[in-house]
């Protein structure tokens, strides 16, 4: 649920950035919306695609913070450090599970039996 909330929030946050900074839709790559570094920057630094989102509605920021806190297992990030490999792995697994379960004809992320 936290993943879905974050995904929905950053999609809207992208639109907020486009409107706020008077950008064209093609200026912010949609494939980058759910990358772990983007999510981390929203949660820790208040930036998205490098743009300040500190004035964005809290309903667009909180779900991202909640998701990042969950995959960090409640641990505080170490300042100035790169994201740990385990976070990338956890995020990738969650993305694969969620994207698989959301495909038409999917059975909750399970692979069909042969």
């Amino acid at each position: 649920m936290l993943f879905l909330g974050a995904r929905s929030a950053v999609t809207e946050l992208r639109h907020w950035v486009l409107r706020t900074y008077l950008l064209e839709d093609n200026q912010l790559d949609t494939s980058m919306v759910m990358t772990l570094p983007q999510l981390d920057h929203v949660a820790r630094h208040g930036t998205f695609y490098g743009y300040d989102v500190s004035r964005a509605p809290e309903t667009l920021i909180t779900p991202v913070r909640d998701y990042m806190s969950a995959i960090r297992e409640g641990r505080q990030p170490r300042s100035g450090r790169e994201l740990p490999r385990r976070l990338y792995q956890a995020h990738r697994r969650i993305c694969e599970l969620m994207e698989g379960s959301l495909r038409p004809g999917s059975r909750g992320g399970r692979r069909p039996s042969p």
Side-chain angles (χ1 to χ4, degrees):
M1 293 306 290
L2 293 174
F3 173 86
L4 294 175
R7 187 173 73 172
S8 177
V10 293
T11 299
E12 289 303 314
L13 186 59
R14 179 180 173 275
H15 293 295
W16 184 90
V17 169
L18 290 170
R19 284 189 311 274
T20 301
Y21 293 98
L22 304 173
L23 304 173
E24 298 293 324
D25 189 55
N26 64 354
Q27 289 182 271
L28 301 180
D29 186 356
T30 56
S31 68
M32 298 292 292
V33 170
M34 280 298 290
T35 62
L36 193 61
Q38 286 286 13
L39 299 175
D40 185 57
H41 279 270
V42 171
R44 291 197 311 161
H45 307 293
T47 61
F48 192 53
Y49 290 95
Y51 292 92
D52 180 7
V53 293
S54 62
R55 294 175 297 136
E58 196 60 32
T59 57
L60 302 180
I61 305 298
T62 300
V64 178
R65 286 186 184 141
D66 292 346
Y67 174 72
M68 288 302 296
S69 178
I71 65 170
R72 285 183 186 281
E73 299 172 344
R75 296 184 200 127
Q76 291 298 316
R78 294 182 182 152
S79 61
R81 297 256 175 133
E82 289 186 26
L83 292 166
R85 181 179 165 167
R86 69 173 183 74
L87 288 184
Y88 279 100
Q89 292 169 335
H91 180 63
R92 185 175 49 243
R93 279 193 309 270
I94 293 166
C95 288
E96 288 170 356
L97 286 170
M98 293 309 300
E99 296 303 324
S101 68
L102 296 175
R103 285 191 195 110
S106 173
R107 297 186 318 172
R110 294 183 211 128
R111 295 182 185 198
S113 304

